[in-house]
Amino acid sequence: MTQPSFAFEPHATPVAASERAARIVNPGFGRVFTDHMATVRWSDDKGWHDAKITARAPIVLDPAAAVLHYAQEIFEGLKAYALPDGGVALFRPEQNAARFRRSAHRLAMAELPEDLFVESCRELVLAERDWIPAGEGSALYLRPFMIASETFLGVKPSAEYLYCVIASAVGNYWPGGARSVSLWVSKEFTRAAPGGTGDAKCGGNYAASLLAQSEAIRQGCDQVVFLDAVERRWVEELGGMNIFFVFDDGTMLTPPLTGTILPGITRDSILTLARDAGITVREERYSIDQWQADAASGRLVEAFACGTAAVVTPIGKVSSADFAFQIGDGQPGERTRALLKQLTDIQRGRSNDPHGWLQRIG
């Protein structure tokens, strides 16, 4: 079937330039939205159709829309960066497109062609490039998502879907620079189980993490870290980030992708950059008991989390109901800082891009 092209329907009353400039001075994260959004629809009889860039507006859904009852919903997150020469680029959007398609398959949803995913992001960024903030660490955050929009009650895959991309001007996730965060090890709750949706980027996975995250906050910690659902022993990931460990012999370790962990694009980028530098990185299981022992002995010198929003986040302290320990001196480590700088320099066009990860769009 022929792929639809994007019609442009400009917003009738876009935000004035002066007001836009004021909003993006200090936008925070995920609260300042642009004028437009991209939308494409799918149905059994028409396939993908009605692609357009249009005014950002509320979505009208019937109360019996399938997404509201059976949770067929997936999403992605990626950023557009302002380049030093005035251009704009996306970072590895084809990887987000591939993961989006895999998530759709797992939730029995229509699979958006990867080139249509990338084109939707390109077209929206080109329409909204004036919303990209100028500050260090700033970007235009894109949120592609898809929901089941058929009106029916009954447990089956929907026959209609709505795909959208919205955009948000964002600042540095950690104002003032990356800081070490504290983690709470959840013993009662798990994020995903074998055979489940742990490696799909669907809203249900994040909903399942929120009670544990609330527990972490109550215990005075910044984030929750989950153990496996079977043995409650192996470290898996945070509520929304992958995790890495750095040892005193220079090697690194990250939990393997066995179906219960989201295959992060930042995770894959860090693996590639570390191995390019000759660093041995193992994708192996790592137990919570070993983590505690290695931190106590000094064998573990750094740990960090990674994801699109914060890129790389140092981990300083880890707590649970029956233990607490510090990693190194509790401050961001040398390897963590180096990988953060190397990756962000590539994303922002300040250094060589040996793998062609930046996709320039204007």
Side-chain angles (χ1 to χ4, degrees):
M1 185 175 292
T2 303
Q3 177 175 303
S5 58
F6 282 85
F8 181 58
E9 301 176 357
H11 199 300
T13 56
V15 174
S18 59
E19 174 63 19
R20 181 181 64 231
R23 291 186 190 182
I24 66 176
V25 168
N26 185 23
F29 198 94
R31 295 187 178 276
V32 176
F33 295 97
T34 69
D35 292 309
H36 296 88
M37 63 182 183
T39 61
V40 191
R41 294 187 177 273
W42 187 90
S43 63
D44 277 342
D45 58 337
K46 294 183 180 180
W48 294 105
H49 64 283
D50 197 21
K52 57 189 176 183
I53 305 296
T54 188
R56 181 178 176 273
I59 295 172
V60 178
L61 286 175
D62 189 280
V67 65
L68 302 177
H69 303 271
Y70 309 111
Q72 275 189 296
E73 180 274 347
I74 57 174
F75 68 97
E76 275 296 327
L78 65 159
K79 290 177 179 177
Y81 297 94
L83 303 179
D85 64 3
V88 179
L90 294 167
F91 182 73
R92 306 189 73 183
E94 72 288 346
Q95 295 299 313
N96 293 92
R99 188 171 66 183
F100 194 77
R101 189 163 191 164
R102 293 194 301 270
S103 296
H105 178 79
R106 178 61 185 85
L107 271 74
M109 302 175 75
E111 296 179 31
L112 184 76
E114 293 174 22
D115 55 350
L116 186 56
F117 176 101
V118 174
E119 186 65 15
S120 67
C121 295
R122 287 172 54 90
E123 291 297 324
L124 183 60
V125 171
L126 289 173
E128 307 288 59
R129 62 184 301 165
D130 290 341
W131 282 89
I132 303 178
E136 178 63 29
S138 300
L140 189 66
Y141 181 83
L142 304 180
R143 171 52 59 86
F145 65 96
M146 183 163 65
I147 61 174
S149 54
E150 183 185 2
T151 300
F152 77 97
L153 296 178
V155 183
K156 71 173 186 66
S158 178
E160 298 175 2
Y161 296 95
L162 172 64
Y163 167 75
C164 300
V165 189
I166 56 176
S168 173
V170 299
N172 196 324
Y173 195 82
W174 301 119
R179 64 175 180 85
S180 293
V181 297
S182 56
L183 304 184
W184 177 259
V185 181
S186 180
K187 295 292 187 69
E188 182 178 358
F189 304 107
T190 60
R191 177 187 171 274
T197 59
D199 60 352
K201 198 167 178 66
C202 60
N205 290 344
Y206 294 81
S209 75
L210 295 179
L211 188 57
Q213 175 63 27
S214 297
E215 179 187 26
I217 298 299
R218 288 197 306 273
Q219 296 295 334
C221 295
D222 298 301
Q223 294 283 332
V224 63
V225 59
F226 289 102
L227 305 179
D228 73 290
V230 178
E231 298 182 61
R232 306 294 181 94
R233 175 186 177 193
W234 305 104
V235 180
E236 292 211 321
E237 65 175 299
L238 278 62
M241 291 185 279
N242 297 122
I243 190 167
F244 279 82
F245 305 94
V246 182
F247 300 98
D248 58 1
D249 62 359
T251 64
M252 294 170 54
L253 182 149
T254 192
L257 301 178
T258 57
T260 58
I261 295 175
L262 186 72
I265 294 158
T266 307
R267 174 189 184 275
D268 181 73
S269 302
I270 289 170
L271 283 170
T272 300
L273 293 177
R275 287 166 175 162
D276 285 350
I279 298 168
T280 298
V281 189
R282 304 185 305 280
E283 295 180 69
E284 298 176 358
R285 296 198 298 177
Y286 192 59
S287 72
I288 184 60
D289 290 340
Q290 192 64 52
W291 188 1
Q292 185 176 2
D294 288 343
S297 69
R299 177 173 178 257
L300 180 72
V301 294
E302 300 177 41
F304 61 86
C306 64
T308 299
V311 189
V312 173
T313 299
I315 298 168
K317 295 180 180 179
V318 182
S319 301
S320 187
D322 51 3
F323 62 76
F325 60 88
Q326 180 172 287
I327 299 167
D329 62 3
Q331 300 303 310
E334 181 179 347
R335 177 72 57 78
T336 302
R337 293 195 303 268
L339 284 168
L340 172 60
K341 184 179 187 306
Q342 186 179 7
L343 184 54
T344 54
D345 281 352
I346 291 173
Q347 290 173 333
R348 298 180 179 284
R350 295 191 294 241
S351 67
N352 183 39
D353 177 19
H355 298 283
W357 287 341
L358 275 187
Q359 187 176 121
R360 189 183 184 101
I361 60 175

